[in-house]
Amino acid sequence: MAASEELPIEPHKTFDTILVLDFGSQYSHLITRRLRELNVYSEMLPCTQKLSELSWKPKGIILSGGPYSVYWDDAPHVDPEAFELGVPILGICYGLQEIAWHFAKNVLAGEKREYGHAYLKVERHAGKASHIDALFAGLEDDMEVWMSHGDKLSNLPSDFTTIATTTNAPFAGMAHETKPLYGIQFHPEVTHTPKGVHLLQNFAVDICKAQTDWTMGKFVDQEIARIRALVGEKGQVIGAVSGGVDSTVAAALMKQAIGDRFHAVLVDNGVLRMNEAEQVEETLTKHLGIKLTVVDASERFLGLLKGVKDDPEKKRKIIGNTFIHVFQEEAKKIQAAAAGSPQAGEIEWLLQGTLYPDVIESISFKGPSATIKTHHNVGGLLEGMHLKVIEPLRELFKDEVRELGTKLGLAEELVWRHPFPGPGIAIRILGEVTAEQVRIARHADYIFIEEIRAAGLYRKISQAFAALLPVKAVGVMGDKRVHSQVIALRAVETSDFMTADWYPFDGAFLKKVSRRIVNEVDGVCRVVYDSKFILHLVLVLI
Ligand code: GLN
């Protein structure tokens, strides 16, 4: 294509962009998120990024925190060219220490680690260069902040001035006397620093002068233009849909960009939720007008799952591999049919619903010795099809995908759908997956979710499901002793992206769900609620 020199247009080329260089902190991606919430576009790259190799210029750079000590022999360091670009730089925690190290090699292990809440005193410098006070402009002199460090600056590098202190950290904030270079020891990106977003806004908007124009409306227009440019006037795209938010939003976007030259495929693997295949078909074809092929491969999947009892990993693998085979077979059929069409060219592209967290995961800095994980995708697994991958959501966080979905006219119910794993109901059946077990688990799950919705709790809960346990319990039903199976309910909520705790339903709700499941689902005589603390990502940064 003639215009391929300038295209595709990437967001960092059209939006003012703050570059976050990741030194491996667990919070790095939050910096990017917070900026985007302020409508400032931001991207994250590993701290080892050579700035001369970037094809675009950031409006400002943020150096993240990290688990290393800058004085270690193998500690990661920022490309010194960052300081030559003439753009503002903000160092956070390790990033502050990195700036100090760059100028003065003056960082050492502190006697005391500082972890948790701290009270910050801001120091103002009336009469000095105005940029010095700009980072804390509009903020109170006393601020609650979140600290997580063990190292400290032994003294200020020359030409820097202190802009904030805590009792334990005399250099909790510093600014260069003449250049827009700043360092802060605390983490403004976490919610434990209540005014942190204001500080990030001061940096991005007032100091870096980044435009606040990162909006979904603009993104949609630009992404549609980018897809059209990539695919060309006749190119065709194929993609799998699952009913989940990501694949539906990606499909809706493709439809807007290239209409019927996008082919969606839904593989019914026999372990989808109740009525799911029908619902997806209805949404995609009736509401969104997307060209969809539904492949009913339930028997094939269930046949292959036969006899696999205890190993959930094995179930996942069987389902994953079979999915690729079925999808590939279908894609080849669609490809062959499309080849004869005069209006359209070959199917050369595969749509993937990759999101920014997957991209971050694949590029994030994992330490001096660890290898950086590469992002795998189904595209590479479709043998002999030579499809190029198109990923319209790869710059977006989940919340942004939801916003985009709303913008594209998707129903609220779909946009806010809980995540559902690819291997579906199969991994919620502990023990052998048979058509009968699927029926039980699926029906119980349906009732549970229906009641959660009816109680107005669906949006409060992040994920909920029913699992079928491989044990039998004795119960009395209709005056008869029964010996049948047990359903375990699970529901979690997360508010801080770091922990997910079980949802405290009230007794009446659990009673109702339990009664409905036992009465309506044949083969179940007992329901239990699983209140295990599901995951706790401890805030270990040092
Ligand atoms: N490891 C450094 C320290 O202990 C930086 C920690 C961080 O970035 N959170 O101070």
Side-chain angles (χ1 to χ4, degrees):
M1 185 178 50
S4 66
E5 289 298 292
E6 302 102 64
L7 294 166
I9 324 144
E10 290 141 332
H12 51 231
K13 294 205 173 133
T14 32
F15 294 92
D16 285 350
T17 304
I18 303 292
L19 171 62
V20 176
L21 288 175
D22 171 37
F23 284 88
S25 154
Q26 203 180 336
Y27 303 138
S28 304
H29 69 285
L30 285 181
I31 308 172
T32 307
R33 280 181 72 122
R34 298 287 171 256
L35 292 168
R36 296 215 198 158
E37 282 160 17
L38 293 164
N39 298 115
V40 173
Y41 187 64
S42 168
E43 272 184 26
M44 194 175 116
L45 288 172
C47 55
T48 46
Q49 174 68 44
K50 286 261 161 290
L51 293 161
S52 56
E53 286 168 9
L54 279 189
S55 60
W56 51 282
K57 188 174 173 187
K59 284 295 266 191
I61 299 176
I62 297 183
L63 311 178
S64 82
Y68 320 98
S69 286
V70 285
Y71 47 79
W72 290 353
D73 285 346
D74 55 358
H77 293 294
V78 64
D79 178 359
E81 196 173 318
F83 297 97
E84 309 302 321
L85 281 184
V87 301
I89 300 180
L90 169 66
I92 296 176
C93 204
Y94 184 97
L96 156 89
Q97 297 162 3
E98 178 63 8
I99 295 176
W101 191 250
H102 173 82
F103 284 98
K105 305 270 178 293
N106 58 347
V107 179
L108 38 89
E111 306 79 56
K112 251 185 22 200
R113 284 175 42 171
E114 196 178 16
Y115 177 75
H117 291 282
Y119 289 90
L120 190 82
K121 271 227 142 330
V122 177
E123 286 188 13
R124 317 276 175 189
H125 302 269
K128 282 197 177 181
S130 64
H131 79 271
I132 296 176
D133 286 341
L135 196 60
F136 288 100
L139 287 160
E140 306 214 330
D141 289 348
D142 296 288
M143 267 178 82
E144 194 186 336
V145 298
W146 182 259
M147 291 280 195
S148 174
H149 69 115
D151 296 334
K152 63 170 191 185
L153 272 56
S154 54
N155 54 288
L156 270 187
S158 49
D159 299 330
F160 278 82
T161 190
T162 305
I163 53 173
T165 58
T166 67
T167 41
N168 192 43
F171 311 115
M174 65 174 192
H176 193 279
E177 300 263 357
T178 55
K179 299 177 188 164
L181 302 179
Y182 307 85
I184 48 177
Q185 188 59 73
F186 59 93
H187 288 271
E189 69 277 24
V190 300
T191 47
H192 307 294
T193 299
K195 292 280 159 34
V197 173
H198 189 150
L199 184 142
L200 289 173
Q201 180 171 26
N202 283 348
F203 177 71
V205 181
D206 300 328
I207 297 170
C208 301
K209 306 267 179 276
Q211 303 252 5
T212 50
D213 59 353
W214 170 250
T215 59
M216 269 312 129
K218 263 194 131 170
F219 173 79
V220 172
D221 294 345
Q222 195 190 302
E223 195 53 27
I224 286 180
R226 196 179 78 91
I227 294 167
R228 287 181 181 153
L230 266 181
V231 174
E233 270 167 31
K234 287 194 163 184
Q236 303 209 61
V237 180
I238 190 161
V241 288
S242 65
V245 190
D246 306 341
S247 68
T248 315
V249 171
L253 193 62
M254 292 311 288
K255 164 76 188 174
Q256 287 217 356
I258 57 168
D260 281 351
R261 287 185 287 131
F262 169 62
H263 306 263
V265 177
L266 171 70
V267 175
D268 184 348
N269 57 13
V271 285
L272 300 176
R273 279 171 286 200
M274 201 153 124
N275 305 333
E276 179 129 55
E278 295 80 0
Q279 261 172 27
V280 175
E281 189 162 4
E282 164 114 5
T283 309
L284 264 69
T285 54
K286 283 222 188 95
H287 302 302
L288 299 169
I290 292 170
K291 205 188 240 180
L292 171 76
T293 312
V294 182
V295 192
D296 183 1
S298 349
E299 278 181 22
R300 182 158 162 191
F301 280 87
L302 290 177
L304 289 161
L305 284 167
K306 209 170 167 175
V308 184
K309 292 202 169 80
D310 306 314
D311 189 353
E313 222 20 65
K314 201 163 172 198
K315 289 178 193 166
R316 278 178 204 273
K317 277 213 180 92
I318 292 174
I319 296 173
N321 292 339
T322 313
F323 172 84
I324 290 169
H325 286 133
V326 174
F327 181 71
Q328 170 155 320
E329 285 160 22
E330 202 52 42
K332 281 188 172 153
K333 278 188 220 159
I334 294 175
Q335 201 169 35
S341 141
Q343 308 85 4
E346 268 180 59
I347 296 183
E348 290 177 307
W349 296 90
L350 175 72
L351 172 69
Q352 293 229 302
T354 315
L355 302 196
Y356 201 49
D358 307 327
V359 176
I360 287 182
E361 167 64 19
S362 68
I363 60 168
S364 81
F365 186 71
K366 299 275 166 38
S369 53
T371 47
I372 292 168
K373 232 167 88 184
T374 49
H375 184 65
H376 64 86
N377 53 50
V378 184
L381 301 171
L382 294 180
E383 284 161 35
M385 289 202 62
H386 310 297
L387 292 172
K388 290 175 275 187
V389 172
I390 187 164
E391 298 172 309
L393 311 180
R394 64 171 282 129
E395 328 285 354
L396 307 184
F397 286 107
K398 191 84 178 182
D399 321 357
E400 293 174 316
V401 172
R402 293 205 160 112
E403 208 183 320
L404 173 58
T406 309
K407 210 130 229 103
L408 295 171
L410 264 55
E412 190 189 321
E413 206 181 284
L414 207 161
V415 167
W416 288 97
R417 209 151 180 207
H418 291 168
F420 184 69
I425 299 281
I427 49 165
R428 293 169 178 181
I429 295 171
L430 288 86
E432 190 174 6
V433 180
T434 60
E436 174 64 0
Q437 294 293 75
V438 172
R439 176 192 64 78
I440 295 174
R442 187 183 260 169
H443 194 173
D445 190 72
Y446 183 83
I447 293 173
F448 185 34
I449 301 294
E450 191 172 66
E451 288 299 332
I452 287 177
R453 282 194 196 279
L457 297 172
Y458 192 78
R459 287 271 292 268
K460 266 192 88 107
I461 290 170
S462 313
Q463 195 171 12
F465 60 87
L468 182 54
L469 304 184
V471 284
K472 281 198 170 175
V474 175
V476 177
M477 287 174 78
D479 287 342
K480 231 178 43 215
R481 232 175 97 94
V482 289
H483 191 225
S484 52
Q485 299 188 85
V486 180
I487 284 287
L489 305 176
R490 248 186 180 193
V492 293
E493 60 176 338
T494 174
S495 54
D496 59 3
F497 315 105
M498 285 174 270
T499 55
D501 206 353
W502 59 282
Y503 188 79
F505 291 114
D506 61 35
F509 175 87
L510 288 174
K511 207 169 180 174
K512 186 169 181 203
V513 175
S514 159
R515 196 179 53 231
R516 275 199 63 192
I517 292 177
V518 170
N519 283 336
E520 294 172 36
V521 186
D522 246 4
V524 179
C525 71
R526 186 173 297 191
V527 177
V528 295
Y529 185 52
D530 184 341
S531 61
K532 181 169 164 269
F533 191 71
I534 296 220
L535 122 120
H536 186 196
L537 306 173
V538 206
L539 311 166
V540 193
L541 280 170
I542 300 172

